[in-house]
Amino acid sequence: MPPLVNTPVYFGNFLVTPQVFHLTTHSFALVNIKPLLPGHVLVSPRRAAKRLSDLNHVEVTDLFLTVQQVGRMIERFYGASSLNIAIQDGPAAGQSVPHLHTHIIPRQSADLDGQGGSDAIYGMLEGEDGDVGKHLWEKSNRRPKFPAVDDSSRKPRSEQEMAEEAQKLAHEMKQQQLHEKSSSAAL
């Protein structure tokens, strides 16, 4: 399945073009290799800025408008009633890839009751489960000498699985944009 984007898209040092489902002038949205919950996606600036403060005002505006648009679509598509939107801004905050990114995680009532309640998502983001950089590193052919221990309940997804989800979400983004355009025209 060909990627939706014709030019290479990098997330840090990782080529993620097949995972990209939405692209703007300054931002891109991609499916996550190892989502914490179904529908967990990332939105990142196209320029490999490490921190939010590294972005100029045009990039900040584009990033947050993209987060808003993608969030609406993800919430609808996954039947969520709420979203977690998070940025780990720097290594001390848990950022694992030195490229600013925003997590969008669709939530439903009681979805993490068996894991300590709705706030358990924050521990998941900061722990090994949320270490996007580690999962991308393991997926690449540059594996560390000793394999890392991973939890058995969450397996990294294949390129094909991520590309298929990216295709579905790209379609949904187009549908949403058409709907929003027709709604604003009616005003």
Side-chain angles (χ1 to χ4, degrees), residues 108-156:
Q108 297 177 359
S109 180
D111 59 0
L112 292 176
D113 279 358
Q115 296 176 348
S118 61
D119 284 348
I121 198 73
Y122 301 112
M124 294 167 73
L125 267 171
E126 293 206 6
E128 191 169 314
D129 289 348
D131 191 343
V132 177
K134 173 185 170 248
H135 303 307
L136 286 169
W137 180 265
E138 289 174 350
K139 183 185 83 141
S140 74
N141 292 327
R142 302 172 295 175
R143 294 182 184 267
K145 288 184 182 179
F146 301 103
V149 177
D150 197 11
D151 66 311
S152 60
S153 64
R154 289 178 51 245
K155 303 280 186 202

Side-chain angles (χ1 to χ4, degrees), residues 165-181:
E165 184 180 15
Q167 293 279 341
K168 288 179 196 172
L169 296 180
H171 174 75
E172 290 299 317
M173 281 302 299
K174 287 179 185 169
Q175 294 299 106
Q176 178 172 303
Q177 289 171 331
L178 289 172
H179 174 74
E180 289 174 357
K181 197 176 206 178

